[in-house]
Amino acid sequence: MQDVSIAAWRKFHTLEDHEAFAPWVFTVAKYELLMARRRHARNRLVLSNDIVETLAKEAAEEIPLRHKQLDVLDLCVEKLPADRRELALAAYRKDTSIRDMAKTMGRTEGSLYQNLARIRRQLFDCMEHSLSHSQ
């Protein structure tokens, strides 16, 4: 995964349509995996080309589902009470640590983790309910 991330970062300038990021990065990942496979060809525990192709095809077929899940997640986040929504969004901001958040809020890290776990559970339940009723 690290090799794929580095390769995608280096090749990002070649991505013309940012809406097509997922298929583009799947292609980068596929070629990185094939190169890694060649490097480790003597290892008897290497995936065959057919398996790699099958996995790539399955991943590409899941893209619409992943987009739908992200859309439902956005809706579920919007349904959260404002204080819970702000807490959840703050916890996932870049360069945010639970320790700093807890200190700023005057709470313990443990209580913050518990609260975030409850919020994640609420979001999971909302998504599960929404996705099961939309099929």
Side-chain angles (χ1 to χ4, degrees), residues 38-81:
R38 274 187 229 115
R39 283 193 308 269
H40 301 287
R42 292 179 191 236
N43 186 339
R44 62 185 176 90
L45 301 176
V46 174
L47 297 174
S48 71
N49 284 343
D50 291 341
I51 296 292
V52 171
E53 290 294 329
T54 300
L55 291 171
K57 182 180 175 195
E58 287 177 6
E61 289 170 356
E62 289 181 356
I63 292 172
L65 173 62
R66 300 297 170 238
H67 283 293
K68 184 175 184 178
Q69 289 172 331
L70 288 172
D71 290 342
V72 169
L73 176 59
D74 285 340
L75 293 173
C76 290
V77 167
E78 289 301 316
K79 290 179 184 178
L80 288 172

mmCIF file of all heavy atoms in Angstrom, residues 38-81:
data_model
loop_
_atom_site.group_PDB
_atom_site.id
_atom_site.type_symbol
_atom_site.label_atom_id
_atom_site.label_comp_id
_atom_site.label_asym_id
_atom_site.label_seq_id
_atom_site.Cartn_x
_atom_site.Cartn_y
_atom_site.Cartn_z
ATOM 1 N N ARG A 38 6.543 -9.266 -9.887
ATOM 2 C CA ARG A 38 7.735 -9.622 -10.658
ATOM 3 C C ARG A 38 8.982 -9.622 -9.775
ATOM 4 O O ARG A 38 9.846 -10.482 -9.914
ATOM 5 C CB ARG A 38 7.926 -8.644 -11.823
ATOM 6 C CG ARG A 38 7.139 -9.054 -13.043
ATOM 7 C CD ARG A 38 7.461 -8.174 -14.250
ATOM 8 N NE ARG A 38 6.173 -7.766 -14.780
ATOM 9 C CZ ARG A 38 5.708 -6.536 -14.818
ATOM 10 N NH1 ARG A 38 6.442 -5.528 -14.390
ATOM 11 N NH2 ARG A 38 4.534 -6.279 -15.290
ATOM 12 N N ARG A 39 9.074 -8.651 -8.867
ATOM 13 C CA ARG A 39 10.227 -8.578 -7.964
ATOM 14 C C ARG A 39 10.303 -9.800 -7.043
ATOM 15 O O ARG A 39 11.375 -10.210 -6.649
ATOM 16 C CB ARG A 39 10.163 -7.317 -7.098
ATOM 17 C CG ARG A 39 10.568 -6.052 -7.818
ATOM 18 C CD ARG A 39 10.787 -4.892 -6.848
ATOM 19 N NE ARG A 39 9.690 -4.649 -5.933
ATOM 20 C CZ ARG A 39 8.665 -3.821 -6.166
ATOM 21 N NH1 ARG A 39 8.596 -3.159 -7.309
ATOM 22 N NH2 ARG A 39 7.719 -3.647 -5.263
ATOM 23 N N HIS A 40 9.162 -10.356 -6.700
ATOM 24 C CA HIS A 40 9.117 -11.485 -5.766
ATOM 25 C C HIS A 40 8.725 -12.789 -6.467
ATOM 26 O O HIS A 40 8.174 -13.689 -5.836
ATOM 27 C CB HIS A 40 8.120 -11.190 -4.646
ATOM 28 C CG HIS A 40 8.450 -9.953 -3.885
ATOM 29 N ND1 HIS A 40 9.501 -9.889 -2.992
ATOM 30 C CD2 HIS A 40 7.887 -8.714 -3.890
ATOM 31 C CE1 HIS A 40 9.561 -8.670 -2.481
ATOM 32 N NE2 HIS A 40 8.604 -7.936 -3.014
ATOM 33 N N ALA A 41 9.026 -12.896 -7.734
ATOM 34 C CA ALA A 41 8.577 -14.028 -8.539
ATOM 35 C C ALA A 41 9.074 -15.380 -8.019
ATOM 36 O O ALA A 41 8.413 -16.401 -8.205
ATOM 37 C CB ALA A 41 9.003 -13.847 -9.989
ATOM 38 N N ARG A 42 10.194 -15.413 -7.366
ATOM 39 C CA ARG A 42 10.731 -16.688 -6.876
ATOM 40 C C ARG A 42 10.014 -17.174 -5.620
ATOM 41 O O ARG A 42 10.111 -18.323 -5.252
ATOM 42 C CB ARG A 42 12.220 -16.566 -6.599
ATOM 43 C CG ARG A 42 12.995 -16.390 -7.877
ATOM 44 C CD ARG A 42 14.462 -16.247 -7.558
ATOM 45 N NE ARG A 42 15.149 -15.833 -8.758
ATOM 46 C CZ ARG A 42 16.163 -16.492 -9.276
ATOM 47 N NH1 ARG A 42 16.612 -17.573 -8.708
ATOM 48 N NH2 ARG A 42 16.735 -16.059 -10.365
ATOM 49 N N ASN A 43 9.316 -16.285 -4.968
ATOM 50 C CA ASN A 43 8.564 -16.653 -3.776
ATOM 51 C C ASN A 43 7.343 -17.467 -4.205
ATOM 52 O O ASN A 43 6.569 -17.037 -5.057
ATOM 53 C CB ASN A 43 8.135 -15.386 -3.033
ATOM 54 C CG ASN A 43 7.481 -15.673 -1.711
ATOM 55 O OD1 ASN A 43 6.982 -16.771 -1.472
ATOM 56 N ND2 ASN A 43 7.480 -14.680 -0.852
ATOM 57 N N ARG A 44 7.142 -18.607 -3.632
ATOM 58 C CA ARG A 44 6.036 -19.476 -4.062
ATOM 59 C C ARG A 44 4.675 -18.975 -3.577
ATOM 60 O O ARG A 44 3.648 -19.508 -3.956
ATOM 61 C CB ARG A 44 6.282 -20.904 -3.609
ATOM 62 C CG ARG A 44 6.360 -21.091 -2.135
ATOM 63 C CD ARG A 44 6.729 -22.541 -1.780
ATOM 64 N NE ARG A 44 6.887 -22.677 -0.357
ATOM 65 C CZ ARG A 44 5.903 -23.002 0.470
ATOM 66 N NH1 ARG A 44 4.699 -23.236 0.004
ATOM 67 N NH2 ARG A 44 6.119 -23.095 1.762
ATOM 68 N N LEU A 45 4.640 -17.942 -2.754
ATOM 69 C CA LEU A 45 3.381 -17.425 -2.220
ATOM 70 C C LEU A 45 2.937 -16.146 -2.923
ATOM 71 O O LEU A 45 2.335 -15.270 -2.321
ATOM 72 C CB LEU A 45 3.525 -17.182 -0.713
ATOM 73 C CG LEU A 45 3.889 -18.398 0.130
ATOM 74 C CD1 LEU A 45 4.098 -17.990 1.576
ATOM 75 C CD2 LEU A 45 2.824 -19.463 0.013
ATOM 76 N N VAL A 46 3.208 -16.030 -4.215
ATOM 77 C CA VAL A 46 2.857 -14.851 -4.991
ATOM 78 C C VAL A 46 1.547 -15.108 -5.730
ATOM 79 O O VAL A 46 1.315 -16.202 -6.248
ATOM 80 C CB VAL A 46 3.990 -14.513 -5.990
ATOM 81 C CG1 VAL A 46 3.583 -13.380 -6.904
ATOM 82 C CG2 VAL A 46 5.250 -14.160 -5.242
ATOM 83 N N LEU A 47 0.684 -14.086 -5.792
ATOM 84 C CA LEU A 47 -0.584 -14.215 -6.507
ATOM 85 C C LEU A 47 -0.340 -14.333 -8.010
ATOM 86 O O LEU A 47 0.531 -13.673 -8.563
ATOM 87 C CB LEU A 47 -1.465 -12.991 -6.247
ATOM 88 C CG LEU A 47 -1.899 -12.755 -4.799
ATOM 89 C CD1 LEU A 47 -2.644 -11.436 -4.709
ATOM 90 C CD2 LEU A 47 -2.753 -13.891 -4.294
ATOM 91 N N SER A 48 -1.157 -15.129 -8.657
ATOM 92 C CA SER A 48 -1.051 -15.265 -10.113
ATOM 93 C C SER A 48 -1.620 -14.019 -10.781
ATOM 94 O O SER A 48 -2.397 -13.269 -10.192
ATOM 95 C CB SER A 48 -1.810 -16.503 -10.585
ATOM 96 O OG SER A 48 -3.206 -16.284 -10.475
ATOM 97 N N ASN A 49 -1.247 -13.815 -12.048
ATOM 98 C CA ASN A 49 -1.780 -12.682 -12.812
ATOM 99 C C ASN A 49 -3.299 -12.746 -12.905
ATOM 100 O O ASN A 49 -3.973 -11.710 -12.867
ATOM 101 C CB ASN A 49 -1.182 -12.646 -14.218
ATOM 102 C CG ASN A 49 0.240 -12.134 -14.211
ATOM 103 O OD1 ASN A 49 0.683 -11.524 -13.250
ATOM 104 N ND2 ASN A 49 0.957 -12.389 -15.283
ATOM 105 N N ASP A 50 -3.860 -13.940 -13.042
ATOM 106 C CA ASP A 50 -5.311 -14.087 -13.124
ATOM 107 C C ASP A 50 -5.993 -13.595 -11.847
ATOM 108 O O ASP A 50 -7.032 -12.926 -11.904
ATOM 109 C CB ASP A 50 -5.700 -15.546 -13.375
ATOM 110 C CG ASP A 50 -5.304 -16.026 -14.762
ATOM 111 O OD1 ASP A 50 -5.060 -15.175 -15.640
ATOM 112 O OD2 ASP A 50 -5.250 -17.252 -14.965
ATOM 113 N N ILE A 51 -5.408 -13.916 -10.709
ATOM 114 C CA ILE A 51 -5.978 -13.476 -9.427
ATOM 115 C C ILE A 51 -5.896 -11.950 -9.320
ATOM 116 O O ILE A 51 -6.854 -11.293 -8.909
ATOM 117 C CB ILE A 51 -5.250 -14.127 -8.230
ATOM 118 C CG1 ILE A 51 -5.438 -15.639 -8.244
ATOM 119 C CG2 ILE A 51 -5.692 -13.520 -6.913
ATOM 120 C CD1 ILE A 51 -6.844 -16.102 -7.960
ATOM 121 N N VAL A 52 -4.764 -11.385 -9.717
ATOM 122 C CA VAL A 52 -4.606 -9.931 -9.676
ATOM 123 C C VAL A 52 -5.644 -9.271 -10.572
ATOM 124 O O VAL A 52 -6.287 -8.282 -10.181
ATOM 125 C CB VAL A 52 -3.174 -9.521 -10.079
ATOM 126 C CG1 VAL A 52 -3.066 -8.008 -10.250
ATOM 127 C CG2 VAL A 52 -2.172 -10.017 -9.051
ATOM 128 N N GLU A 53 -5.840 -9.787 -11.760
ATOM 129 C CA GLU A 53 -6.840 -9.237 -12.690
ATOM 130 C C GLU A 53 -8.245 -9.345 -12.102
ATOM 131 O O GLU A 53 -9.043 -8.405 -12.202
ATOM 132 C CB GLU A 53 -6.779 -9.953 -14.038
ATOM 133 C CG GLU A 53 -5.540 -9.648 -14.844
ATOM 134 C CD GLU A 53 -5.473 -8.208 -15.307
ATOM 135 O OE1 GLU A 53 -6.524 -7.580 -15.547
ATOM 136 O OE2 GLU A 53 -4.342 -7.697 -15.421
ATOM 137 N N THR A 54 -8.556 -10.478 -11.487
ATOM 138 C CA THR A 54 -9.872 -10.680 -10.883
ATOM 139 C C THR A 54 -10.098 -9.695 -9.744
ATOM 140 O O THR A 54 -11.174 -9.082 -9.643
ATOM 141 C CB THR A 54 -10.014 -12.128 -10.362
ATOM 142 O OG1 THR A 54 -9.858 -13.028 -11.461
ATOM 143 C CG2 THR A 54 -11.361 -12.350 -9.704
ATOM 144 N N LEU A 55 -9.097 -9.524 -8.892
ATOM 145 C CA LEU A 55 -9.221 -8.571 -7.787
ATOM 146 C C LEU A 55 -9.397 -7.143 -8.298
ATOM 147 O O LEU A 55 -10.197 -6.370 -7.763
ATOM 148 C CB LEU A 55 -8.005 -8.666 -6.867
ATOM 149 C CG LEU A 55 -7.881 -9.948 -6.048
ATOM 150 C CD1 LEU A 55 -6.527 -9.995 -5.348
ATOM 151 C CD2 LEU A 55 -9.014 -10.077 -5.049
ATOM 152 N N ALA A 56 -8.658 -6.786 -9.332
ATOM 153 C CA ALA A 56 -8.766 -5.440 -9.907
ATOM 154 C C ALA A 56 -10.163 -5.221 -10.484
ATOM 155 O O ALA A 56 -10.763 -4.153 -10.296
ATOM 156 C CB ALA A 56 -7.707 -5.242 -10.982
ATOM 157 N N LYS A 57 -10.681 -6.225 -11.176
ATOM 158 C CA LYS A 57 -12.019 -6.113 -11.768
ATOM 159 C C LYS A 57 -13.078 -5.968 -10.674
ATOM 160 O O LYS A 57 -13.968 -5.129 -10.773
ATOM 161 C CB LYS A 57 -12.307 -7.347 -12.624
ATOM 162 C CG LYS A 57 -13.644 -7.309 -13.310
ATOM 163 C CD LYS A 57 -13.874 -8.554 -14.138
ATOM 164 C CE LYS A 57 -15.275 -8.542 -14.716
ATOM 165 N NZ LYS A 57 -15.681 -9.838 -15.228
ATOM 166 N N GLU A 58 -12.969 -6.778 -9.624
ATOM 167 C CA GLU A 58 -13.934 -6.705 -8.526
ATOM 168 C C GLU A 58 -13.879 -5.346 -7.833
ATOM 169 O O GLU A 58 -14.917 -4.771 -7.490
ATOM 170 C CB GLU A 58 -13.686 -7.823 -7.510
ATOM 171 C CG GLU A 58 -14.096 -9.191 -8.012
ATOM 172 C CD GLU A 58 -13.771 -10.299 -7.023
ATOM 173 O OE1 GLU A 58 -13.325 -10.001 -5.894
ATOM 174 O OE2 GLU A 58 -13.982 -11.469 -7.377
ATOM 175 N N ALA A 59 -12.681 -4.829 -7.635
ATOM 176 C CA ALA A 59 -12.538 -3.524 -6.992
ATOM 177 C C ALA A 59 -13.179 -2.434 -7.846
ATOM 178 O O ALA A 59 -13.871 -1.553 -7.323
ATOM 179 C CB ALA A 59 -11.066 -3.216 -6.749
ATOM 180 N N ALA A 60 -12.973 -2.497 -9.148
ATOM 181 C CA ALA A 60 -13.559 -1.499 -10.049
ATOM 182 C C ALA A 60 -15.083 -1.575 -10.035
ATOM 183 O O ALA A 60 -15.767 -0.545 -10.102
ATOM 184 C CB ALA A 60 -13.029 -1.692 -11.463
ATOM 185 N N GLU A 61 -15.619 -2.787 -9.934
ATOM 186 C CA GLU A 61 -17.076 -2.959 -9.911
ATOM 187 C C GLU A 61 -17.701 -2.414 -8.629
ATOM 188 O O GLU A 61 -18.878 -2.097 -8.600
ATOM 189 C CB GLU A 61 -17.428 -4.436 -10.074
ATOM 190 C CG GLU A 61 -17.154 -4.964 -11.467
ATOM 191 C CD GLU A 61 -17.281 -6.482 -11.569
ATOM 192 O OE1 GLU A 61 -17.515 -7.152 -10.533
ATOM 193 O OE2 GLU A 61 -17.139 -7.002 -12.697
ATOM 194 N N GLU A 62 -16.900 -2.301 -7.560
ATOM 195 C CA GLU A 62 -17.412 -1.817 -6.281
ATOM 196 C C GLU A 62 -17.435 -0.299 -6.178
ATOM 197 O O GLU A 62 -17.977 0.248 -5.225
ATOM 198 C CB GLU A 62 -16.579 -2.386 -5.135
ATOM 199 C CG GLU A 62 -16.791 -3.858 -4.917
ATOM 200 C CD GLU A 62 -15.965 -4.392 -3.757
ATOM 201 O OE1 GLU A 62 -15.166 -3.621 -3.165
ATOM 202 O OE2 GLU A 62 -16.122 -5.576 -3.440
ATOM 203 N N ILE A 63 -16.868 0.402 -7.136
ATOM 204 C CA ILE A 63 -16.786 1.863 -7.063
ATOM 205 C C ILE A 63 -18.162 2.507 -6.893
ATOM 206 O O ILE A 63 -18.328 3.362 -6.012
ATOM 207 C CB ILE A 63 -16.032 2.441 -8.277
ATOM 208 C CG1 ILE A 63 -14.560 2.043 -8.190
ATOM 209 C CG2 ILE A 63 -16.154 3.963 -8.334
ATOM 210 C CD1 ILE A 63 -13.756 2.397 -9.419
ATOM 211 N N PRO A 64 -19.186 2.132 -7.686
ATOM 212 C CA PRO A 64 -20.501 2.771 -7.482
ATOM 213 C C PRO A 64 -21.050 2.550 -6.069
ATOM 214 O O PRO A 64 -21.630 3.467 -5.481
ATOM 215 C CB PRO A 64 -21.389 2.103 -8.531
ATOM 216 C CG PRO A 64 -20.443 1.614 -9.581
ATOM 217 C CD PRO A 64 -19.199 1.235 -8.848
ATOM 218 N N LEU A 65 -20.837 1.362 -5.518
ATOM 219 C CA LEU A 65 -21.299 1.091 -4.164
ATOM 220 C C LEU A 65 -20.581 1.987 -3.161
ATOM 221 O O LEU A 65 -21.191 2.539 -2.241
ATOM 222 C CB LEU A 65 -21.090 -0.378 -3.802
ATOM 223 C CG LEU A 65 -21.379 -0.760 -2.347
ATOM 224 C CD1 LEU A 65 -22.840 -0.499 -1.997
ATOM 225 C CD2 LEU A 65 -21.009 -2.214 -2.101
ATOM 226 N N ARG A 66 -19.280 2.156 -3.330
ATOM 227 C CA ARG A 66 -18.510 3.004 -2.413
ATOM 228 C C ARG A 66 -18.982 4.462 -2.492
ATOM 229 O O ARG A 66 -19.086 5.145 -1.477
ATOM 230 C CB ARG A 66 -17.009 2.932 -2.707
ATOM 231 C CG ARG A 66 -16.434 1.562 -2.578
ATOM 232 C CD ARG A 66 -16.524 1.009 -1.153
ATOM 233 N NE ARG A 66 -16.165 -0.392 -1.133
ATOM 234 C CZ ARG A 66 -16.947 -1.363 -0.707
ATOM 235 N NH1 ARG A 66 -18.149 -1.099 -0.232
ATOM 236 N NH2 ARG A 66 -16.547 -2.613 -0.729
ATOM 237 N N HIS A 67 -19.309 4.926 -3.694
ATOM 238 C CA HIS A 67 -19.828 6.291 -3.841
ATOM 239 C C HIS A 67 -21.173 6.422 -3.133
ATOM 240 O O HIS A 67 -21.436 7.422 -2.456
ATOM 241 C CB HIS A 67 -19.955 6.678 -5.314
ATOM 242 C CG HIS A 67 -18.655 7.024 -5.958
ATOM 243 N ND1 HIS A 67 -17.928 8.142 -5.618
ATOM 244 C CD2 HIS A 67 -17.937 6.393 -6.910
ATOM 245 C CE1 HIS A 67 -16.832 8.193 -6.344
ATOM 246 N NE2 HIS A 67 -16.804 7.137 -7.129
ATOM 247 N N LYS A 68 -22.017 5.418 -3.275
ATOM 248 C CA LYS A 68 -23.319 5.430 -2.617
ATOM 249 C C LYS A 68 -23.135 5.434 -1.097
ATOM 250 O O LYS A 68 -23.811 6.176 -0.379
ATOM 251 C CB LYS A 68 -24.141 4.219 -3.044
ATOM 252 C CG LYS A 68 -25.541 4.199 -2.483
ATOM 253 C CD LYS A 68 -26.335 3.043 -3.029
ATOM 254 C CE LYS A 68 -27.764 3.106 -2.539
ATOM 255 N NZ LYS A 68 -28.581 2.027 -3.097
ATOM 256 N N GLN A 69 -22.205 4.633 -0.595
ATOM 257 C CA GLN A 69 -21.946 4.596 0.839
ATOM 258 C C GLN A 69 -21.472 5.950 1.348
ATOM 259 O O GLN A 69 -21.888 6.400 2.419
ATOM 260 C CB GLN A 69 -20.915 3.514 1.164
ATOM 261 C CG GLN A 69 -21.451 2.109 1.009
ATOM 262 C CD GLN A 69 -20.368 1.052 1.134
ATOM 263 O OE1 GLN A 69 -19.203 1.302 0.806
ATOM 264 N NE2 GLN A 69 -20.749 -0.133 1.595
ATOM 265 N N LEU A 70 -20.608 6.612 0.589
ATOM 266 C CA LEU A 70 -20.126 7.938 0.993
ATOM 267 C C LEU A 70 -21.261 8.960 1.005
ATOM 268 O O LEU A 70 -21.332 9.806 1.900
ATOM 269 C CB LEU A 70 -18.992 8.401 0.084
ATOM 270 C CG LEU A 70 -17.664 7.674 0.281
ATOM 271 C CD1 LEU A 70 -16.672 8.079 -0.808
ATOM 272 C CD2 LEU A 70 -17.095 7.944 1.665
ATOM 273 N N ASP A 71 -22.152 8.870 0.024
ATOM 274 C CA ASP A 71 -23.300 9.780 -0.015
ATOM 275 C C ASP A 71 -24.202 9.564 1.203
ATOM 276 O O ASP A 71 -24.669 10.518 1.832
ATOM 277 C CB ASP A 71 -24.109 9.588 -1.296
ATOM 278 C CG ASP A 71 -23.378 10.074 -2.541
ATOM 279 O OD1 ASP A 71 -22.409 10.860 -2.404
ATOM 280 O OD2 ASP A 71 -23.760 9.649 -3.649
ATOM 281 N N VAL A 72 -24.447 8.292 1.540
ATOM 282 C CA VAL A 72 -25.276 7.970 2.703
ATOM 283 C C VAL A 72 -24.584 8.432 3.981
ATOM 284 O O VAL A 72 -25.230 8.961 4.892
ATOM 285 C CB VAL A 72 -25.607 6.456 2.741
ATOM 286 C CG1 VAL A 72 -26.238 6.056 4.062
ATOM 287 C CG2 VAL A 72 -26.526 6.084 1.583
ATOM 288 N N LEU A 73 -23.266 8.258 4.059
ATOM 289 C CA LEU A 73 -22.527 8.723 5.234
ATOM 290 C C LEU A 73 -22.696 10.230 5.404
ATOM 291 O O LEU A 73 -22.926 10.718 6.521
ATOM 292 C CB LEU A 73 -21.049 8.353 5.130
ATOM 293 C CG LEU A 73 -20.150 8.860 6.261
ATOM 294 C CD1 LEU A 73 -20.611 8.334 7.613
ATOM 295 C CD2 LEU A 73 -18.701 8.484 5.989
ATOM 296 N N ASP A 74 -22.590 10.974 4.307
ATOM 297 C CA ASP A 74 -22.784 12.429 4.385
ATOM 298 C C ASP A 74 -24.161 12.761 4.956
ATOM 299 O O ASP A 74 -24.291 13.639 5.815
ATOM 300 C CB ASP A 74 -22.634 13.077 3.010
ATOM 301 C CG ASP A 74 -21.195 13.169 2.546
ATOM 302 O OD1 ASP A 74 -20.291 13.093 3.399
ATOM 303 O OD2 ASP A 74 -20.985 13.319 1.324
ATOM 304 N N LEU A 75 -25.190 12.049 4.500
ATOM 305 C CA LEU A 75 -26.549 12.285 4.998
ATOM 306 C C LEU A 75 -26.660 11.946 6.480
ATOM 307 O O LEU A 75 -27.288 12.676 7.253
ATOM 308 C CB LEU A 75 -27.566 11.470 4.196
ATOM 309 C CG LEU A 75 -27.743 11.863 2.733
ATOM 310 C CD1 LEU A 75 -28.653 10.866 2.016
ATOM 311 C CD2 LEU A 75 -28.319 13.269 2.637
ATOM 312 N N CYS A 76 -26.034 10.847 6.877
ATOM 313 C CA CYS A 76 -26.088 10.436 8.281
ATOM 314 C C CYS A 76 -25.324 11.411 9.179
ATOM 315 O O CYS A 76 -25.772 11.698 10.292
ATOM 316 C CB CYS A 76 -25.551 9.010 8.442
ATOM 317 S SG CYS A 76 -26.655 7.757 7.743
ATOM 318 N N VAL A 77 -24.222 11.931 8.706
ATOM 319 C CA VAL A 77 -23.477 12.927 9.479
ATOM 320 C C VAL A 77 -24.335 14.174 9.667
ATOM 321 O O VAL A 77 -24.385 14.760 10.754
ATOM 322 C CB VAL A 77 -22.122 13.271 8.806
ATOM 323 C CG1 VAL A 77 -21.496 14.512 9.420
ATOM 324 C CG2 VAL A 77 -21.171 12.087 8.905
ATOM 325 N N GLU A 78 -25.049 14.570 8.625
ATOM 326 C CA GLU A 78 -25.925 15.740 8.718
ATOM 327 C C GLU A 78 -27.054 15.528 9.717
ATOM 328 O O GLU A 78 -27.553 16.489 10.309
ATOM 329 C CB GLU A 78 -26.495 16.098 7.339
ATOM 330 C CG GLU A 78 -25.478 16.670 6.389
ATOM 331 C CD GLU A 78 -24.834 17.944 6.918
ATOM 332 O OE1 GLU A 78 -25.552 18.822 7.450
ATOM 333 O OE2 GLU A 78 -23.605 18.057 6.827
ATOM 334 N N LYS A 79 -27.474 14.291 9.924
ATOM 335 C CA LYS A 79 -28.559 13.988 10.866
ATOM 336 C C LYS A 79 -28.112 14.041 12.327
ATOM 337 O O LYS A 79 -28.937 14.106 13.228
ATOM 338 C CB LYS A 79 -29.131 12.592 10.591
ATOM 339 C CG LYS A 79 -29.916 12.490 9.302
ATOM 340 C CD LYS A 79 -30.422 11.066 9.120
ATOM 341 C CE LYS A 79 -31.126 10.882 7.802
ATOM 342 N NZ LYS A 79 -31.583 9.484 7.614
ATOM 343 N N LEU A 80 -26.801 13.999 12.561
ATOM 344 C CA LEU A 80 -26.303 14.057 13.937
ATOM 345 C C LEU A 80 -26.641 15.401 14.561
ATOM 346 O O LEU A 80 -26.652 16.427 13.871
ATOM 347 C CB LEU A 80 -24.779 13.879 13.965
ATOM 348 C CG LEU A 80 -24.200 12.512 13.671
ATOM 349 C CD1 LEU A 80 -22.677 12.600 13.557
ATOM 350 C CD2 LEU A 80 -24.593 11.500 14.744
ATOM 351 N N PRO A 81 -26.880 15.411 15.881
ATOM 352 C CA PRO A 81 -27.023 16.705 16.556
ATOM 353 C C PRO A 81 -25.741 17.521 16.339
ATOM 354 O O PRO A 81 -24.651 16.957 16.201
ATOM 355 C CB PRO A 81 -27.186 16.330 18.034
ATOM 356 C CG PRO A 81 -27.659 14.902 18.016
ATOM 357 C CD PRO A 81 -27.060 14.281 16.779
#
